[in-house]
Amino acid sequence: MRTVDLIHRKRDGEELDSPEISYLIDAYTRGEIPDYQMSAFLMAVYFSGMTDREVSTLTECMIRSGETVDLSSVNGVKVDKHSTGGVGDKTSLVVAPLAAAAGVIVPMISGRALGHTGGTLDKLESIPGFRTDLTVEQFHAQLSEIGLCFIGQSERVAPADGKLYALRDVTATVESIPLIASSIMSKKMAEGLDALVLDVKVGSGAFIKKQVDARRLAQMMVGIGRRMDKRVQALITDMNQPLGYAVGNALEVMEVSQTLMNQGPPDLTRLCLELAARMIFLAKITPTLEDARHVAENKLVDGSGYRKFKQVIQAQGGNAQALDKFELLPNATGMREITSPRAGYVSAIGAEDIGRASTLMGAGRDRKDDRIDPAVGVILEVKMGEKVDAGSVLCRLYYTSEEHVEEASEMVEDAFRVSQQKAEERELILEVVG
Ligand code: URA
Protein backbone atom coordinates (compact mmCIF):
# COMPACT_ATOMS: atom_id res chain seq x y z
CA MET A 1 0.00 0.00 0.00
CA ARG A 2 1.34 3.43 -0.89
CA THR A 3 0.41 6.34 1.36
CA VAL A 4 0.37 8.76 -1.56
CA ASP A 5 -2.33 6.69 -3.31
CA LEU A 6 -4.56 6.85 -0.22
CA ILE A 7 -4.08 10.62 0.06
CA HIS A 8 -4.92 10.91 -3.63
CA ARG A 9 -8.12 8.89 -3.27
CA LYS A 10 -9.31 10.73 -0.18
CA ARG A 11 -8.53 14.05 -1.87
CA ASP A 12 -10.83 12.96 -4.73
CA GLY A 13 -13.64 12.09 -2.29
CA GLU A 14 -13.39 8.30 -2.42
CA GLU A 15 -14.20 6.01 0.50
CA LEU A 16 -11.24 4.13 1.99
CA ASP A 17 -11.70 0.57 3.25
CA SER A 18 -10.75 -0.80 6.69
CA PRO A 19 -7.30 -2.21 5.78
CA GLU A 20 -6.39 1.14 4.19
CA ILE A 21 -7.41 3.18 7.26
CA SER A 22 -5.69 0.65 9.57
CA TYR A 23 -2.52 0.94 7.54
CA LEU A 24 -2.53 4.76 7.80
CA ILE A 25 -3.11 4.85 11.56
CA ASP A 26 -0.81 1.96 12.49
CA ALA A 27 2.07 3.14 10.30
CA TYR A 28 1.70 6.77 11.46
CA THR A 29 1.65 5.76 15.15
CA ARG A 30 4.82 3.70 14.60
CA GLY A 31 6.48 6.73 12.94
CA GLU A 32 6.61 5.12 9.49
CA ILE A 33 4.46 7.75 7.76
CA PRO A 34 6.00 11.23 7.93
CA ASP A 35 4.07 14.24 9.27
CA TYR A 36 3.98 15.88 5.82
CA GLN A 37 2.03 12.97 4.35
CA MET A 38 -0.32 12.67 7.33
CA SER A 39 -0.91 16.46 7.17
CA ALA A 40 -1.95 16.11 3.53
CA PHE A 41 -4.24 13.21 4.43
CA LEU A 42 -5.86 15.21 7.27
CA MET A 43 -6.44 18.15 4.94
CA ALA A 44 -7.99 15.77 2.38
CA VAL A 45 -10.36 14.53 5.14
CA TYR A 46 -11.09 18.13 6.12
CA PHE A 47 -12.31 18.90 2.60
CA SER A 48 -13.75 15.54 1.49
CA GLY A 49 -15.19 14.29 4.81
CA MET A 50 -15.62 10.62 5.74
CA THR A 51 -18.49 8.16 5.62
CA ASP A 52 -19.89 6.77 8.89
CA ARG A 53 -18.18 3.47 8.14
CA GLU A 54 -14.82 5.19 7.65
CA VAL A 55 -15.21 7.17 10.91
CA SER A 56 -16.03 4.02 12.89
CA THR A 57 -12.99 2.24 11.44
CA LEU A 58 -10.79 5.26 12.14
CA THR A 59 -12.03 5.36 15.76
CA GLU A 60 -11.43 1.62 16.24
CA CYS A 61 -7.88 1.94 14.86
CA MET A 62 -7.18 4.85 17.20
CA ILE A 63 -8.47 2.85 20.19
CA ARG A 64 -6.29 -0.12 19.14
CA SER A 65 -3.23 2.16 18.98
CA GLY A 66 -2.95 1.99 22.80
CA GLU A 67 -4.20 0.44 26.02
CA THR A 68 -7.84 0.18 27.03
CA VAL A 69 -8.95 0.57 30.64
CA ASP A 70 -10.55 -2.52 32.19
CA LEU A 71 -13.12 -1.52 34.79
CA SER A 72 -14.81 -4.91 35.01
CA SER A 73 -13.60 -5.32 38.62
CA VAL A 74 -15.63 -2.25 39.65
CA ASN A 75 -19.30 -3.09 40.26
CA GLY A 76 -21.98 -0.86 38.75
CA VAL A 77 -22.76 0.84 35.47
CA LYS A 78 -19.95 3.14 34.35
CA VAL A 79 -21.01 6.37 32.70
CA ASP A 80 -18.89 9.39 31.79
CA LYS A 81 -19.80 12.80 30.42
CA HIS A 82 -17.74 14.72 27.90
CA SER A 83 -18.05 18.27 26.58
CA THR A 84 -16.62 19.37 23.24
CA GLY A 85 -15.28 22.45 25.07
CA GLY A 86 -16.58 25.85 26.02
CA VAL A 87 -16.02 29.00 28.08
CA GLY A 88 -17.06 28.88 31.74
CA ASP A 89 -17.97 25.24 31.21
CA LYS A 90 -17.56 23.79 34.68
CA THR A 91 -20.45 21.34 34.31
CA SER A 92 -18.34 18.20 34.89
CA LEU A 93 -17.56 19.30 38.45
CA VAL A 94 -21.28 19.55 39.24
CA VAL A 95 -22.67 16.74 37.08
CA ALA A 96 -20.22 14.01 38.13
CA PRO A 97 -20.91 14.34 41.91
CA LEU A 98 -24.68 14.51 41.31
CA ALA A 99 -24.63 11.35 39.16
CA ALA A 100 -22.28 9.54 41.58
CA ALA A 101 -24.52 10.51 44.52
CA ALA A 102 -27.36 8.78 42.63
CA GLY A 103 -25.33 5.54 42.30
CA VAL A 104 -23.71 5.95 38.88
CA ILE A 105 -20.04 4.90 38.68
CA VAL A 106 -18.29 7.90 37.12
CA PRO A 107 -14.73 7.29 35.86
CA MET A 108 -14.10 10.86 34.78
CA ILE A 109 -11.03 11.13 32.57
CA SER A 110 -10.58 14.79 31.72
CA GLY A 111 -8.39 17.16 29.81
CA ARG A 112 -6.59 20.45 30.37
CA ALA A 113 -7.32 23.93 29.05
CA LEU A 114 -6.17 24.55 25.51
CA GLY A 115 -6.79 27.70 23.48
CA HIS A 116 -9.72 29.79 24.75
CA THR A 117 -11.59 26.84 26.32
CA GLY A 118 -11.08 25.64 29.90
CA GLY A 119 -10.12 22.17 31.18
CA THR A 120 -11.56 20.19 34.08
CA LEU A 121 -8.13 19.07 35.37
CA ASP A 122 -6.88 22.66 35.74
CA LYS A 123 -10.03 23.66 37.60
CA LEU A 124 -9.66 20.75 40.03
CA GLU A 125 -5.97 21.45 40.58
CA SER A 126 -6.81 24.99 41.73
CA ILE A 127 -8.12 23.31 44.91
CA PRO A 128 -5.07 23.18 47.24
CA GLY A 129 -3.57 19.68 47.35
CA PHE A 130 -5.90 18.11 44.75
CA ARG A 131 -4.08 15.39 42.78
CA THR A 132 -5.19 13.94 39.46
CA ASP A 133 -2.10 11.74 38.80
CA LEU A 134 -3.42 8.61 40.51
CA THR A 135 -2.21 5.09 39.78
CA VAL A 136 -4.53 2.61 38.06
CA GLU A 137 -4.95 0.80 41.41
CA GLN A 138 -5.91 4.03 43.21
CA PHE A 139 -8.35 4.86 40.39
CA HIS A 140 -10.07 1.46 40.70
CA ALA A 141 -10.14 1.60 44.52
CA GLN A 142 -11.67 5.08 44.60
CA LEU A 143 -14.31 4.17 42.00
CA SER A 144 -15.31 1.11 44.06
CA GLU A 145 -15.40 3.10 47.30
CA ILE A 146 -16.82 6.49 46.31
CA GLY A 147 -18.19 5.91 42.79
CA LEU A 148 -16.32 8.88 41.33
CA CYS A 149 -12.74 9.62 40.44
CA PHE A 150 -11.20 12.44 38.39
CA ILE A 151 -7.98 11.66 36.52
CA GLY A 152 -6.07 12.88 33.48
CA GLN A 153 -5.76 10.97 30.25
CA SER A 154 -2.79 8.62 30.18
CA GLU A 155 -0.35 8.94 27.31
CA ARG A 156 -0.90 5.23 26.78
CA VAL A 157 -4.64 5.57 25.98
CA ALA A 158 -5.32 6.25 22.27
CA PRO A 159 -1.75 7.51 21.54
CA ALA A 160 -2.68 7.85 17.84
CA ASP A 161 -5.09 10.62 18.89
CA GLY A 162 -2.34 12.42 20.83
CA LYS A 163 -0.10 12.43 17.75
CA LEU A 164 -2.85 13.29 15.30
CA TYR A 165 -4.29 16.05 17.52
CA ALA A 166 -0.88 17.73 17.82
CA LEU A 167 -0.54 17.64 14.03
CA ARG A 168 -4.10 18.93 13.47
CA ASP A 169 -3.40 21.79 15.84
CA VAL A 170 -0.62 23.12 13.57
CA THR A 171 -2.15 22.27 10.19
CA ALA A 172 -5.56 24.00 10.54
CA THR A 173 -7.42 20.67 10.54
CA VAL A 174 -8.93 20.68 14.05
CA GLU A 175 -12.38 21.83 12.87
CA SER A 176 -13.21 18.68 10.90
CA ILE A 177 -16.32 16.81 12.05
CA PRO A 178 -15.04 13.24 11.36
CA LEU A 179 -11.67 14.08 12.95
CA ILE A 180 -13.27 15.59 16.08
CA ALA A 181 -15.71 12.66 16.37
CA SER A 182 -12.99 9.99 16.10
CA SER A 183 -10.67 11.92 18.43
CA ILE A 184 -13.24 12.23 21.22
CA MET A 185 -14.78 8.79 20.81
CA SER A 186 -11.47 6.92 20.64
CA LYS A 187 -10.46 8.33 24.05
CA LYS A 188 -13.86 7.78 25.61
CA MET A 189 -14.41 4.26 24.29
CA ALA A 190 -10.95 3.22 25.54
CA GLU A 191 -12.07 4.08 29.11
CA GLY A 192 -14.10 0.92 29.72
CA LEU A 193 -17.46 2.76 29.83
CA ASP A 194 -20.95 1.32 29.49
CA ALA A 195 -22.51 4.62 28.45
CA LEU A 196 -21.58 8.20 27.66
CA VAL A 197 -23.37 11.57 27.73
CA LEU A 198 -21.99 14.17 25.33
CA ASP A 199 -22.41 17.93 25.54
CA VAL A 200 -21.81 19.26 22.03
CA LYS A 201 -21.28 23.00 22.29
CA VAL A 202 -22.24 25.28 19.43
CA GLY A 203 -21.72 29.02 19.03
CA SER A 204 -19.08 31.73 19.18
CA GLY A 205 -17.24 30.14 22.11
CA ALA A 206 -17.20 26.60 20.68
CA PHE A 207 -15.15 24.77 18.03
CA ILE A 208 -18.40 24.28 16.08
CA LYS A 209 -20.14 27.50 15.11
CA LYS A 210 -23.24 26.22 13.26
CA GLN A 211 -26.04 24.08 14.63
CA VAL A 212 -26.19 21.94 11.49
CA ASP A 213 -22.54 20.98 12.01
CA ALA A 214 -23.08 20.33 15.72
CA ARG A 215 -25.97 18.00 14.80
CA ARG A 216 -23.78 16.12 12.32
CA LEU A 217 -21.00 15.78 14.94
CA ALA A 218 -23.47 14.58 17.58
CA GLN A 219 -25.03 12.06 15.18
CA MET A 220 -21.61 10.78 14.18
CA MET A 221 -20.48 10.25 17.81
CA VAL A 222 -23.77 8.62 18.82
CA GLY A 223 -23.45 6.34 15.75
CA ILE A 224 -19.88 5.36 16.66
CA GLY A 225 -21.02 4.48 20.18
CA ARG A 226 -23.99 2.48 18.93
CA ARG A 227 -21.80 0.46 16.56
CA MET A 228 -19.63 -0.39 19.59
CA ASP A 229 -22.68 -1.42 21.62
CA LYS A 230 -22.47 1.53 24.01
CA ARG A 231 -25.36 3.75 25.03
CA VAL A 232 -24.53 7.31 23.95
CA GLN A 233 -26.69 10.43 24.07
CA ALA A 234 -25.71 13.94 23.03
CA LEU A 235 -27.15 17.30 23.99
CA ILE A 236 -26.45 20.19 21.63
CA THR A 237 -26.12 23.29 23.80
CA ASP A 238 -25.62 26.99 23.22
CA MET A 239 -22.13 28.44 23.70
CA ASN A 240 -22.70 31.98 22.44
CA GLN A 241 -22.14 33.38 25.92
CA PRO A 242 -20.10 31.90 28.79
CA LEU A 243 -21.92 29.32 30.91
CA GLY A 244 -22.74 30.72 34.35
CA TYR A 245 -20.89 33.86 35.47
CA ALA A 246 -17.37 32.66 36.27
CA VAL A 247 -14.52 32.05 33.80
CA GLY A 248 -11.14 31.01 35.26
CA ASN A 249 -10.08 28.05 37.35
CA ALA A 250 -10.50 28.92 41.05
CA LEU A 251 -13.33 31.33 40.19
CA GLU A 252 -15.17 28.44 38.53
CA VAL A 253 -14.60 26.15 41.52
CA MET A 254 -16.31 28.82 43.69
CA GLU A 255 -19.27 28.81 41.29
CA VAL A 256 -19.36 25.00 41.34
CA SER A 257 -19.56 25.10 45.13
CA GLN A 258 -22.48 27.57 45.00
CA THR A 259 -24.20 25.47 42.33
CA LEU A 260 -23.88 22.25 44.35
CA MET A 261 -25.43 24.19 47.27
CA ASN A 262 -28.33 24.98 44.91
CA GLN A 263 -27.39 28.65 44.77
CA GLY A 264 -25.81 28.64 41.33
CA PRO A 265 -26.63 30.49 38.11
CA PRO A 266 -29.89 29.27 36.49
CA ASP A 267 -28.32 28.34 33.11
CA LEU A 268 -25.52 26.29 34.69
CA THR A 269 -27.86 24.59 37.16
CA ARG A 270 -30.38 23.69 34.44
CA LEU A 271 -27.76 22.18 32.13
CA CYS A 272 -26.07 20.25 34.96
CA LEU A 273 -29.37 18.76 36.12
CA GLU A 274 -30.22 17.63 32.59
CA LEU A 275 -26.77 16.10 31.98
CA ALA A 276 -26.82 14.34 35.36
CA ALA A 277 -30.34 13.03 34.69
CA ARG A 278 -29.23 11.58 31.36
CA MET A 279 -26.30 9.81 33.08
CA ILE A 280 -28.62 8.41 35.76
CA PHE A 281 -31.07 7.22 33.08
CA LEU A 282 -28.36 5.63 30.90
CA ALA A 283 -27.02 3.86 34.01
CA LYS A 284 -30.53 2.32 34.32
CA ILE A 285 -30.90 3.60 37.87
CA THR A 286 -34.42 4.81 37.01
CA PRO A 287 -36.91 3.38 34.49
CA THR A 288 -37.64 6.73 32.84
CA LEU A 289 -35.80 9.95 32.09
CA GLU A 290 -38.45 11.88 34.01
CA ASP A 291 -37.67 9.82 37.13
CA ALA A 292 -33.96 10.45 36.56
CA ARG A 293 -34.63 14.20 36.47
CA HIS A 294 -36.32 13.97 39.88
CA VAL A 295 -33.39 11.98 41.29
CA ALA A 296 -30.84 14.51 39.98
CA GLU A 297 -32.82 17.39 41.47
CA ASN A 298 -33.11 15.61 44.84
CA LYS A 299 -29.36 15.00 44.92
CA LEU A 300 -28.84 18.72 44.40
CA VAL A 301 -31.46 19.94 46.86
CA ASP A 302 -30.59 17.51 49.68
CA GLY A 303 -26.87 18.38 49.43
CA SER A 304 -25.68 14.84 48.63
CA GLY A 305 -23.99 16.01 45.39
CA TYR A 306 -22.14 18.64 47.40
CA ARG A 307 -21.07 16.11 50.03
CA LYS A 308 -19.94 13.69 47.29
CA PHE A 309 -17.73 16.38 45.78
CA LYS A 310 -16.15 17.07 49.17
CA GLN A 311 -15.57 13.34 49.69
CA VAL A 312 -13.80 13.12 46.31
CA ILE A 313 -11.67 16.20 47.02
CA GLN A 314 -10.56 14.69 50.32
CA ALA A 315 -9.85 11.29 48.73
CA GLN A 316 -7.66 12.94 46.08
CA GLY A 317 -5.59 14.88 48.61
CA GLY A 318 -7.39 18.23 48.32
CA ASN A 319 -8.54 20.59 51.04
CA ALA A 320 -12.35 20.16 50.95
CA GLN A 321 -12.78 23.15 53.29
CA ALA A 322 -11.90 25.36 50.32
CA LEU A 323 -15.46 24.78 49.06
CA ASP A 324 -16.81 26.68 52.08
CA LYS A 325 -13.92 29.07 52.68
CA PHE A 326 -13.02 30.61 49.34
CA GLU A 327 -10.03 32.40 50.91
CA LEU A 328 -8.34 28.96 50.90
CA LEU A 329 -8.44 28.95 47.08
CA PRO A 330 -5.87 30.90 45.04
CA ASN A 331 -7.04 34.50 45.01
CA ALA A 332 -6.25 37.32 42.58
CA THR A 333 -4.43 40.43 43.77
CA GLY A 334 -5.98 42.92 41.36
CA MET A 335 -9.46 43.64 40.01
CA ARG A 336 -10.72 45.84 37.18
CA GLU A 337 -14.35 46.66 36.39
CA ILE A 338 -15.65 46.89 32.85
CA THR A 339 -18.67 49.17 32.61
CA SER A 340 -21.35 49.72 30.00
CA PRO A 341 -20.82 52.77 27.76
CA ARG A 342 -24.60 53.20 27.35
CA ALA A 343 -28.00 52.18 28.66
CA GLY A 344 -29.80 49.32 26.91
CA TYR A 345 -30.01 45.54 26.78
CA VAL A 346 -27.01 43.20 26.70
CA SER A 347 -27.33 41.63 23.23
CA ALA A 348 -24.00 39.76 23.00
CA ILE A 349 -21.26 38.47 25.32
CA GLY A 350 -18.72 36.97 22.91
CA ALA A 351 -17.67 33.80 24.69
CA GLU A 352 -14.52 33.37 22.64
CA ASP A 353 -13.31 36.91 23.47
CA ILE A 354 -13.98 36.36 27.18
CA GLY A 355 -12.13 33.02 27.01
CA ARG A 356 -9.20 34.61 25.18
CA ALA A 357 -8.98 37.50 27.65
CA SER A 358 -8.98 35.07 30.53
CA THR A 359 -6.28 32.96 28.83
CA LEU A 360 -4.21 36.09 28.19
CA MET A 361 -4.25 36.93 31.93
CA GLY A 362 -2.97 33.38 32.61
CA ALA A 363 -6.09 31.22 33.14
CA GLY A 364 -5.44 29.06 30.08
CA ARG A 365 -2.60 28.02 27.84
CA ASP A 366 -1.71 28.45 24.19
CA ARG A 367 0.76 25.57 24.31
CA LYS A 368 0.46 22.26 26.07
CA ASP A 369 3.32 22.97 28.52
CA ASP A 370 2.41 26.59 29.41
CA ARG A 371 1.87 27.17 33.15
CA ILE A 372 -1.49 28.50 34.22
CA ASP A 373 -2.46 30.93 36.95
CA PRO A 374 -5.37 29.38 38.87
CA ALA A 375 -6.46 32.66 40.51
CA VAL A 376 -7.23 34.81 37.46
CA GLY A 377 -10.27 35.16 35.23
CA VAL A 378 -13.46 37.06 34.58
CA ILE A 379 -16.72 37.24 36.50
CA LEU A 380 -19.72 38.43 34.52
CA GLU A 381 -22.17 40.67 36.33
CA VAL A 382 -24.84 40.37 33.61
CA LYS A 383 -26.08 37.82 31.10
CA MET A 384 -27.58 38.30 27.65
CA GLY A 385 -30.96 40.02 27.61
CA GLU A 386 -30.42 41.95 30.86
CA LYS A 387 -31.12 45.67 31.07
CA VAL A 388 -28.18 47.89 32.01
CA ASP A 389 -27.62 51.61 32.64
CA ALA A 390 -24.72 53.67 31.33
CA GLY A 391 -21.87 52.95 33.78
CA SER A 392 -23.34 49.65 35.07
CA VAL A 393 -20.68 47.01 35.75
CA LEU A 394 -20.74 44.38 32.98
CA CYS A 395 -17.98 42.21 34.43
CA ARG A 396 -14.88 42.17 36.61
CA LEU A 397 -11.41 41.05 35.57
CA TYR A 398 -9.33 39.34 38.28
CA TYR A 399 -5.56 39.27 37.79
CA THR A 400 -2.26 38.71 39.56
CA SER A 401 -0.03 40.64 37.14
CA GLU A 402 -0.64 43.95 35.35
CA GLU A 403 1.17 42.71 32.24
CA HIS A 404 -1.81 41.84 30.03
CA VAL A 405 -4.65 43.63 31.80
CA GLU A 406 -4.97 46.48 29.24
CA GLU A 407 -5.20 44.09 26.31
CA ALA A 408 -7.55 41.74 28.16
CA SER A 409 -9.81 44.68 29.14
CA GLU A 410 -10.07 45.78 25.50
CA MET A 411 -10.96 42.23 24.46
CA VAL A 412 -13.64 42.01 27.11
CA GLU A 413 -15.06 45.44 26.20
CA ASP A 414 -15.30 44.25 22.58
CA ALA A 415 -17.08 41.08 23.69
CA PHE A 416 -20.10 42.98 25.01
CA ARG A 417 -22.83 44.54 22.84
CA VAL A 418 -25.45 46.77 24.42
CA SER A 419 -28.42 47.52 22.12
CA GLN A 420 -31.63 49.46 22.35
CA GLN A 421 -33.75 46.43 21.48
CA LYS A 422 -33.99 43.37 23.69
CA ALA A 423 -32.76 40.40 21.64
CA GLU A 424 -34.82 37.22 21.45
CA GLU A 425 -33.94 34.79 24.23
CA ARG A 426 -31.85 31.83 23.11
CA GLU A 427 -32.56 28.29 24.18
CA LEU A 428 -29.73 26.72 26.20
CA ILE A 429 -30.46 23.09 25.28
CA LEU A 430 -31.05 23.13 21.55
CA GLU A 431 -31.41 19.46 20.62
CA VAL A 432 -31.00 15.93 21.90
CA VAL A 433 -29.44 13.29 19.67
CA GLY A 434 -29.55 9.56 20.45
N1 URA B 1 -11.70 17.55 21.76
C1 URA B 1 -10.99 16.44 21.41
O1 URA B 1 -10.69 15.60 22.27
N2 URA B 1 -10.66 16.27 20.13
C2 URA B 1 -10.99 17.14 19.15
O2 URA B 1 -10.68 16.92 18.01
C3 URA B 1 -11.71 18.31 19.52
C4 URA B 1 -12.07 18.49 20.85
Side-chain angles (χ1 to χ4, degrees), residues 17 135 167 270 425:
D17 64 24
T135 63
L167 192 60
R270 170 144 188 268
E425 247 178 66

Side-chain angles (χ1 to χ4, degrees), residues 24-242:
L24 282 170
I25 298 304
D26 296 348
Y28 181 63
T29 310
R30 286 197 302 267
E32 291 163 11
I33 293 179
D35 280 350
Y36 59 81
Q37 280 194 305
M38 189 46 91
S39 304
F41 177 75
L42 294 171
M43 194 55 89
V45 172
Y46 180 91
F47 282 112
S48 301
M50 276 188 153
T51 63
D52 287 349
R53 205 190 51 78
E54 284 181 300
V55 178
S56 285
T57 307
L58 176 60
T59 309
E60 278 162 23
C61 294
M62 284 159 73
I63 295 173
R64 266 205 329 260
S65 72
E67 291 172 9
T68 48
V69 181
D70 180 7
L71 293 178
S72 55
S73 65
V74 181
N75 288 330
V77 186
K78 292 106 200 165
V79 189
D80 195 2
K81 169 253 159 196
H82 184 82
S83 158
T84 56
V87 178
D89 183 4
K90 68 284 285 174
T91 52
S92 289
L93 301 190
V94 179
V95 170
L98 288 177
V104 183
I105 302 294
V106 189
M108 188 152 276
I109 304 188
S110 308
R112 296 193 178 277
L114 199 58
H116 69 279
T117 63
T120 299
L121 289 187
D122 296 316
K123 292 172 203 190
L124 286 166
E125 284 172 0
S126 71
I127 301 170
F130 197 101
R131 291 187 44 217
T132 53
D133 58 341
L134 307 186
T135 63
V136 174
E137 291 72 28
Q138 287 168 323
F139 181 56
H140 281 220
Q142 189 172 319
L143 278 178
S144 296
E145 212 171 298
I146 303 179
L148 167 60
C149 190
F150 291 100
I151 57 165
Q153 195 202 330
S154 145
E155 306 270 306
R156 298 192 298 269
V157 170
D161 175 59
K163 261 191 107 173
L164 285 170
Y165 196 88
L167 192 60
R168 286 167 59 207
D169 210 22
V170 293
T171 55
T173 51
V174 168
E175 297 89 346
S176 152
I177 291 171
L179 296 179
I180 296 176
S182 53
S183 164
I184 291 176
M185 293 305 282
S186 61
K187 286 177 287 212
K188 292 286 132 182
M189 293 295 111
E191 272 179 26
L193 299 174
D194 298 304
L196 174 65
V197 176
L198 293 160
D199 182 6
V200 179
K201 300 280 184 206
V202 60
S204 71
F207 279 123
I208 305 284
K209 311 288 179 199
K210 292 196 221 139
Q211 198 167 330
V212 59
D213 292 333
R215 188 180 305 130
R216 176 86 186 108
L217 175 60
Q219 287 166 341
M220 208 173 251
M221 292 194 287
V222 169
I224 294 170
R226 196 168 288 149
R227 284 188 287 280
M228 292 183 185
D229 263 341
K230 306 286 178 192
R231 298 186 287 281
V232 181
Q233 281 194 341
L235 301 188
I236 299 178
T237 69
D238 184 67
M239 188 26 78
N240 280 298
Q241 64 176 332

Side-chain angles (χ1 to χ4, degrees), residues 239-301:
M239 188 26 78
N240 280 298
Q241 64 176 332
L243 191 59
Y245 292 98
V247 179
N249 299 289
L251 299 174
E252 292 190 44
V253 168
M254 296 176 201
E255 194 166 72
V256 164
S257 171
Q258 289 157 345
T259 306
L260 281 169
M261 286 196 278
N262 203 13
Q263 290 160 11
D267 60 342
L268 177 65
T269 305
R270 170 144 188 268
L271 181 56
C272 289
L273 284 174
E274 187 61 24
L275 289 165
R278 302 243 165 208
M279 290 174 76
I280 294 165
F281 177 58
L282 289 186
K284 299 187 175 162
I285 285 176
T286 58
T288 68
L289 178 59
E290 217 30 59
D291 291 339
R293 290 192 176 114
H294 289 305
V295 172
E297 191 151 359
N298 284 341
K299 298 298 167 195
L300 180 72
V301 173

Side-chain angles (χ1 to χ4, degrees), residues 212-414:
V212 59
D213 292 333
R215 188 180 305 130
R216 176 86 186 108
L217 175 60
Q219 287 166 341
M220 208 173 251
M221 292 194 287
V222 169
I224 294 170
R226 196 168 288 149
R227 284 188 287 280
M228 292 183 185
D229 263 341
K230 306 286 178 192
R231 298 186 287 281
V232 181
Q233 281 194 341
L235 301 188
I236 299 178
T237 69
D238 184 67
M239 188 26 78
N240 280 298
Q241 64 176 332
L243 191 59
Y245 292 98
V247 179
N249 299 289
L251 299 174
E252 292 190 44
V253 168
M254 296 176 201
E255 194 166 72
V256 164
S257 171
Q258 289 157 345
T259 306
L260 281 169
M261 286 196 278
N262 203 13
Q263 290 160 11
D267 60 342
L268 177 65
T269 305
R270 170 144 188 268
L271 181 56
C272 289
L273 284 174
E274 187 61 24
L275 289 165
R278 302 243 165 208
M279 290 174 76
I280 294 165
F281 177 58
L282 289 186
K284 299 187 175 162
I285 285 176
T286 58
T288 68
L289 178 59
E290 217 30 59
D291 291 339
R293 290 192 176 114
H294 289 305
V295 172
E297 191 151 359
N298 284 341
K299 298 298 167 195
L300 180 72
V301 173
D302 73 7
S304 42
Y306 181 73
R307 288 191 293 277
K308 180 64 72 178
F309 192 36
K310 279 192 146 178
Q311 199 183 0
V312 169
I313 293 174
Q314 215 152 10
Q316 296 194 223
N319 184 351
Q321 279 189 340
L323 285 198
D324 307 310
K325 296 185 184 151
F326 293 163
E327 63 275 18
L328 296 175
L329 289 166
N331 273 282
T333 47
M335 189 271 286
R336 178 177 294 193
E337 289 181 344
I338 305 293
T339 55
S340 179
R342 67 184 76 83
Y345 295 93
V346 178
S347 56
I349 309 177
E352 184 165 356
D353 287 334
I354 302 280
R356 287 206 186 290
S358 188
T359 298
L360 191 63
M361 291 188 294
R365 48 174 82 71
D366 287 319
R367 290 171 194 202
K368 248 179 155 175
D369 40 11
D370 287 348
R371 274 175 65 87
I372 64 153
D373 184 339
V376 304
V378 177
I379 301 234
L380 304 182
E381 287 300 316
V382 293
K383 297 283 283 192
M384 272 164 72
E386 281 184 38
K387 201 162 186 276
V388 290
D389 295 322
S392 296
V393 177
L394 298 174
C395 71
R396 294 187 169 85
L397 270 56
Y398 290 89
Y399 55 89
T400 53
S401 143
E402 301 269 345
E403 198 184 344
H404 296 292
V405 177
E406 271 321 309
E407 205 183 329
S409 303
E410 281 168 26
M411 259 183 211
V412 170
E413 276 165 20
D414 285 347

